[in-house]
Amino acid sequence: MSTPPISQPPGVARPSRFEPLVRRGHLPLVLLVLALCTLGLWLRLSVPLGPFYWDTVLYLDGGNRVLSGQIPSVDFFAPVGALGYWLFAAGLALFPTPQPLLLAHWMMFAVTLPPFLPLVLRLARDRAGLAWALLLPLLFFQLVPLNVEQFSTFPSFDGYGMYNRQVAQVLYVLVATLLFERRAGPLLFAIAWCCTTLFLLKITGFIVAGLVCLLAFAAGRVPLRVALGALGAFVATLAALELGFGLVSHYMADILTLVRLNEGGIAGRLVQAASIHFGFVGSGALLLVALLAMGWTSVCARFAALAERRDLASLNAALDQDVVWLAVLLAGGIFFESQNTGDQAFIFLWPLLLRILSGPEGRRLPILVLAGAVALPPTVNVAHRAARAVIGQVKYVALPLPDLKILGQVNQRPELVERAQTSLEILGEHEETYTLFADRGLLPFYSLYADIDFQATWLLGTDQAVRAIRAFEARNGVRFETIMTLNFTNPYPYLLDRQAPRHIAIGADPSRAVPAPDAETIAAVRATDLILYPTCPVTPANMRLRTIYEAGLVGHHPVELSPCWIGYVRDALTLRR
């Protein structure tokens, strides 16, 4: 005889069939995302070519240098820290044909998840909705290689801003942990992990992290023993890197050099950052005003108590308020964005917005509307562009780049590909026209490097150069073991399985990221077998690079490798034949 069903007690809601998924689905979703990313990097995926795609070559160059035994900052000047190059090198070693843009973006899961997952899984037990609200935005922004800024109207992925996107994502994890984690062990680990990561990614991100951690400590969210433990772990890690590789001292020297190269104009950059990201800054400022207006009595009472008592508890109470956190995060975000040209700006405001919305003020309509105005428009824009990029590939074709290995795993509209092929021919036949622009310090048009047409032409020219180098070596019975370029990027050591010369800046922007060469650098240039100078088109930056390294060109003779490339071949190499 069957047992009759037990009736539900009156007034108690029947559990939803989806409740187990809501409460325990966080980890399965993370594992699913990691599995899909791993599969995507293992397969030979192609992505739609977007603006500044050649920035991705910095990872190929840096990762290839790491695999050949070079240490960032110690053996080559880099605009940022070593961690990104180390992670990319690991990806090159693990996967046979990873799309480099996706690898540069998805490799950050190895950094963000270790401190973030303990928080999410702890919240999932009693605040499952908050856990989802923290987890889903981070997964979304880490999966989609797009900035909140938009340089191109063509459906594509952004090939630039990776360093800055990575910093924004780690700051998201740090802010979420400081606001919602109260357990000493996970909090200590997260602070030490995130601050070390940011130090080794980009120093401006580390400065913002220091500001936020200082607020969290003063607001009583980080106990003294946790702060000291995190500081100790951070210092111990840097000491190990310094003793083992000399990395920290060289890195700090590079930072000081970059500061000297970029000094001046900070006020203008702050205003520019605020104006570019007015959707965040303006809405955030209005939200700040609204919080102050609605909680004015409470805010004033806490600061009055601090002025009267001047004790630690009053300081904690005065600073651990949403208005204070919002003001500090907005200020930190504006500072960070003043040093950037593209990233997922201000996404680290999300955890604070969730705290605001979960508090008593969050139930008021003005606060709800303004919080949505901060977070939703950039998110919807990025989601829209991502959908266009994925769907648009249905009509795209692969660029003919047989000699570019994984760098050539890109596609675009057929008419743009045909245009780039024709443009390369015209550039090679009419060099003098573009030289006139360069002689006057001008590009052919102002936003040249952001243009997808230029990026496609540059890739085709790079493919042409690889074949031209191989043909020259075959004709003359030589082999160029070391190769450098008088150009922003240097993919050729990776593409040809050669070496890049040490002590040379990567990401060679002569206006802000190439220091004056010292004797060691000039000696390395002189010892380089092949130095490539691109002429399709001639640009002021490339001309300036040739001037900067002119002393190193002594002992080299120029040869025309192709209509778009001049090669400076080391004399001693040809004399040995």
Side-chain angles (χ1 to χ4, degrees):
M1 187 171 69
S2 61
T3 304
I6 300 175
S7 61
Q8 191 75 11
V12 178
R14 184 183 298 275
S16 167
R17 70 181 66 181
F18 299 108
E19 185 173 346
L21 179 62
V22 171
R23 293 195 174 277
R24 295 192 292 271
H26 305 80
L27 184 58
L29 176 63
V30 171
L31 294 176
L32 175 62
V33 167
L34 292 178
L36 292 175
C37 289
T38 302
L39 179 62
L41 293 176
W42 190 267
L43 299 174
R44 191 177 179 84
L45 293 184
S46 180
V47 301
L49 178 65
F52 295 109
Y53 179 67
W54 67 349
D55 278 28
T56 309
V57 179
L58 272 63
Y59 279 107
L60 277 175
D61 187 9
N64 186 64
R65 286 170 178 265
V66 168
L67 291 176
S68 66
Q70 295 189 30
I71 301 172
S73 295
V74 177
D75 292 315
F76 60 91
F77 183 90
V80 291
L83 182 59
Y85 305 124
W86 287 339
L87 289 173
F88 197 88
L92 289 177
L94 284 173
F95 301 102
T97 56
Q99 211 295 324
L101 176 56
L102 297 180
L103 175 58
H105 209 63
W106 293 348
M107 68 188 187
M108 287 303 294
F109 279 116
V111 170
T112 57
L113 289 180
F116 191 59
L117 267 184
L119 170 64
V120 170
L121 296 180
R122 196 266 300 170
L123 289 174
R125 291 196 295 268
D126 52 8
R127 302 180 69 183
L130 177 60
W132 283 116
L134 285 172
L135 176 63
L136 293 177
L138 184 66
L139 292 181
F140 169 71
F141 283 110
Q142 284 207 251
L143 281 171
V144 180
L146 284 169
N147 303 315
V148 296
E149 305 90 349
Q150 183 171 349
F151 268 99
S152 175
T153 57
F154 287 98
S156 59
F157 288 141
D158 292 331
Y160 70 105
M162 278 82 73
Y163 302 130
N164 306 324
R165 293 199 290 256
Q166 293 165 359
V167 168
Q169 292 158 11
V170 177
L171 284 173
Y172 182 105
V173 172
L174 178 63
V175 172
T177 305
L178 293 174
L179 290 177
F180 296 107
E181 183 60 83
R182 307 301 287 176
R183 296 170 298 173
L187 185 59
L188 188 157
F189 171 72
I191 294 172
W193 179 280
C194 291
C195 288
T196 304
T197 296
L198 290 167
F199 182 86
L200 295 172
L201 280 176
K202 193 170 185 179
I203 198 68
T204 48
F206 173 73
I207 292 172
V208 176
L211 178 66
V212 176
C213 288
L214 181 61
L215 171 62
F217 176 71
R221 292 201 155 265
V222 179
L224 178 61
R225 68 182 187 280
V226 172
L228 292 176
L231 178 62
F234 171 74
V235 171
T237 303
L238 297 192
L241 291 173
E242 177 63 21
L243 292 173
F245 310 105
L247 174 70
V248 178
S249 57
H250 284 83
Y251 179 36
M252 295 306 297
D254 285 356
I255 290 169
L256 293 176
T257 300
L258 284 171
V259 170
R260 288 194 295 269
L261 290 172
N262 293 274
E263 63 184 355
I266 182 65
R269 290 200 295 268
L270 290 172
V271 172
Q272 182 184 46
S275 63
I276 290 174
H277 301 289
F278 187 74
F280 280 113
V281 177
S283 300
L286 290 175
L287 177 60
L288 182 64
V289 171
L291 289 171
L292 274 173
M294 294 181 180
W296 180 254
T297 302
S298 174
V299 172
C300 290
R302 293 192 184 192
F303 278 100
L306 173 61
E308 179 183 349
R309 298 172 189 166
R310 298 182 182 181
D311 59 0
L312 185 59
S314 300
L315 177 65
N316 296 162
L319 294 183
D320 194 19
Q321 300 185 80
D322 293 337
V323 290
V324 178
W325 277 92
L326 183 56
V328 170
L329 291 181
L330 283 174
I334 292 172
F335 165 75
F336 181 66
E337 293 308 313
S338 70
Q339 311 300 311
N340 302 335
T341 54
D343 72 318
Q344 293 170 342
F346 292 94
I347 65 169
F348 50 84
L349 289 176
W350 275 72
L352 178 61
L353 296 177
L354 293 174
R355 188 177 92 153
I356 292 171
L357 293 176
S358 62
E361 302 295 344
R363 291 189 289 270
R364 300 191 182 186
L365 183 60
I367 300 300
L368 181 62
V369 170
L370 288 172
V374 174
L376 293 181
T379 307
V380 172
N381 178 45
V382 170
H384 174 225
R385 291 168 56 208
R388 287 188 68 209
V390 172
I391 296 171
Q393 291 186 90
V394 174
K395 295 184 177 180
Y396 285 6
V397 297
L399 273 72
L401 305 168
D403 294 297
L404 292 197
K405 296 184 178 178
I406 63 174
L407 182 61
Q409 292 172 210
V410 289
N411 53 66
Q412 244 312 325
R413 292 187 177 189
E415 58 269 29
L416 279 182
V417 176
E418 293 173 7
R419 176 182 169 85
Q421 292 172 310
T422 303
S423 296
L424 191 64
E425 295 176 7
I426 294 173
L427 290 169
E429 295 169 0
H430 299 280
E431 177 187 332
E432 65 282 355
T433 301
Y434 301 93
T435 302
L436 290 174
F437 280 99
D439 285 339
R440 298 193 182 190
L442 299 173
L443 292 170
F445 58 94
Y446 187 76
S447 58
L448 176 70
Y449 301 134
D451 189 71
I452 295 178
D453 187 19
F454 169 81
Q455 295 296 321
T457 302
W458 180 83
L459 285 171
L460 292 169
T462 301
D463 191 71
Q464 178 194 92
V466 172
R467 290 193 298 275
I469 293 169
R470 287 174 175 158
F472 183 90
E473 289 179 326
R475 286 196 309 270
N476 295 277
V478 297
R479 177 180 170 85
F480 303 120
E481 293 296 342
T482 52
I483 303 174
M484 72 171 283
T485 64
L486 300 170
N487 194 213
F488 178 65
T489 63
N490 183 20
Y492 301 99
Y494 164 77
L495 296 174
L496 290 161
D497 299 313
R498 311 298 168 84
Q499 297 290 319
R502 296 172 185 258
H503 313 299
I504 308 299
I506 70 171
D509 182 345
S511 66
R512 60 188 181 94
V514 181
D518 56 17
E520 190 176 42
T521 300
I522 293 299
V525 176
R526 286 180 177 174
T528 302
D529 291 340
L530 176 65
I531 301 170
L532 293 168
Y533 181 70
T535 59
C536 291
V538 176
T539 66
N542 294 343
M543 292 176 67
R544 189 172 173 186
L545 286 171
R546 186 166 62 175
T547 301
I548 289 173
Y549 293 116
E550 187 174 15
L553 296 179
V554 174
H556 292 74
H557 63 275
V559 297
E560 184 177 329
L561 294 173
S562 75
C564 289
W565 293 92
I566 294 173
Y568 291 92
V569 179
R570 189 160 65 94
D571 294 338
L573 186 71
T574 54
L575 290 174
R576 288 202 306 265
R577 288 191 293 116

